[in-house]
């Protein structure tokens, strides 16, 4: 009886509906027969891979329906086509799903792009943007240090710290938005410069 309980417990925990399966997991089940005939590798993958202008795709479904698992499959597929993919689950570490604004998403995307591409691109456009805002932002990053005195790694960590506070410090959330909102256009410009430089150094497909 005890042995049966332990087996049942292992089976139960092996199929957590809220934990996405990594791409290629042997427990993956193709549910298109009951969920619909759309294949994410074709429907989204083809559009992303072949589109010359920038493209934005929405992949929707109720909680636990397998969206993250399918997106991880798409990530693997695109990487096999020599694409560089930056994947992150924003609601886990970056944003509060019940209280999210445009600025939160922009800062989260910027942070992850910085972390993933810092070895392939010059981060100066984004670090210069951060430095120009530092007097307004340093109290929200919970530090009194001079931005110029920090190493590049230290400057990157301060940016990460600031964006993390959007989720972990509800009392700071609105203050960060108020100070960043007037400067989102210059942040996007700096981010695009950073991405353009990265594209020059990443392997081409």
């Amino acid at each position: 009886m005890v042995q049966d309980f332990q087996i049942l417990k292992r089976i139960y925990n092996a199929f957590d509906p809220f934990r996405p399966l990594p791409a290629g997991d042997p427990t993956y089940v193709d549910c298109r027969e009951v969920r619909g005939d759309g294949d994410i590798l074709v429907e989204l993958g083809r559009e992303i891979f072949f589109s010359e202008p920038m493209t934005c795709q929405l992949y929707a479904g109720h909680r636990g329906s397998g969206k993250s698992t399918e997106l991880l499959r798409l990530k693997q597929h695109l990487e096999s086509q020599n694409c560089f993919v930056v994947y992150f689950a924003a609601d886990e570490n970056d944003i509060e799903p019940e209280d999210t604004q445009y600025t939160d998403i922009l800062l989260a995307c910027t942070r992850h792009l910085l972390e993933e591409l810092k070895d392939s691109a010059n981060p100066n456009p984004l670090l210069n943007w951060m430095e120009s805002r530092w007097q307004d932002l340093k109290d929200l990053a919970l530090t009194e240090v001079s931005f110029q005195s920090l190493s590049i790694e230290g400057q990157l960590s301060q940016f990460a710290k600031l964006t993390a506070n959007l989720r972990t410090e509800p009392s700071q959330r609105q203050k960060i938005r108020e100070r960043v909102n007037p400067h989102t256009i210059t942040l996007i410009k700096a981010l695009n410069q950073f991405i353009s430089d990265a594209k020059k150094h990443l392997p081409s497909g």
Side-chain angles (χ1 to χ4, degrees), residues 72-195:
L72 289 171
R73 289 181 64 233
L74 176 61
K75 175 180 182 291
Q76 183 187 62
H77 172 71
L78 290 172
E79 288 174 339
S80 73
Q81 305 296 315
N82 295 321
C83 294
F84 188 92
V85 181
V86 177
Y87 173 90
F88 64 98
D91 61 343
E92 290 183 3
N93 301 302
D94 298 283
I95 64 173
E96 173 51 56
E98 301 300 321
D99 179 20
T100 305
Q101 293 187 14
Y102 165 77
T103 304
D104 310 0
I105 298 170
L106 175 60
L107 287 172
C109 290
T110 302
R111 177 169 81 88
H112 285 277
L113 284 164
L114 255 176
E115 290 176 354
E116 294 287 339
L117 292 169
K118 67 180 186 295
D119 295 328
S120 302
N122 182 355
N124 282 342
L126 289 169
L127 295 179
N128 290 340
W129 180 90
M130 184 74 167
E131 183 180 352
S132 68
R133 308 273 79 78
W134 191 243
Q135 284 304 116
D136 287 338
L137 295 173
K138 67 180 182 180
D139 60 316
L140 300 179
L142 306 179
T143 183
E144 289 298 323
V145 299
S146 165
F147 195 76
Q148 288 180 317
S149 68
L150 296 169
S151 65
I152 289 180
E153 287 298 323
Q155 292 174 350
L156 292 173
S157 71
Q158 290 303 318
F159 195 98
K161 193 176 189 180
L162 177 70
T163 57
N165 284 345
L166 281 167
R167 180 176 175 88
T168 61
E169 301 290 339
S171 62
Q172 302 284 66
R173 194 175 298 143
Q174 190 57 36
K175 293 179 183 178
I176 294 173
R177 291 167 179 163
E178 289 172 355
R179 298 187 197 184
V180 172
N181 274 339
H183 308 288
T184 54
I185 292 177
T186 54
L187 175 55
I188 291 171
K189 182 178 179 180
L191 183 57
N192 283 333
Q193 290 174 346
F194 175 70
I195 293 172

Side-chain angles (χ1 to χ4, degrees), residues 4-90:
D4 291 343
F5 173 77
Q6 292 299 330
I7 293 173
L8 184 61
K9 186 176 181 180
R10 286 201 300 271
I11 292 174
Y12 176 86
N13 286 283
F15 294 95
D16 181 352
F18 304 117
R19 178 176 56 84
L21 296 174
D25 191 286
T27 61
Y28 174 80
V29 176
D30 188 342
C31 296
R32 280 180 291 172
E33 184 177 344
V34 293
R35 191 168 55 190
D37 291 333
D39 185 345
I40 192 171
L41 305 186
V42 175
E43 304 298 329
L44 268 67
R46 184 168 53 192
E47 180 73 19
I48 293 170
F49 187 73
F50 285 109
S51 178
E52 290 189 356
M54 292 185 183
T55 178
C56 179
Q57 307 294 323
L58 174 65
Y59 191 64
H62 61 79
R63 184 172 174 81
S65 62
K67 299 184 301 298
S68 296
T69 294
E70 293 299 313
L71 288 171
L72 289 171
R73 289 181 64 233
L74 176 61
K75 175 180 182 291
Q76 183 187 62
H77 172 71
L78 290 172
E79 288 174 339
S80 73
Q81 305 296 315
N82 295 321
C83 294
F84 188 92
V85 181
V86 177
Y87 173 90
F88 64 98

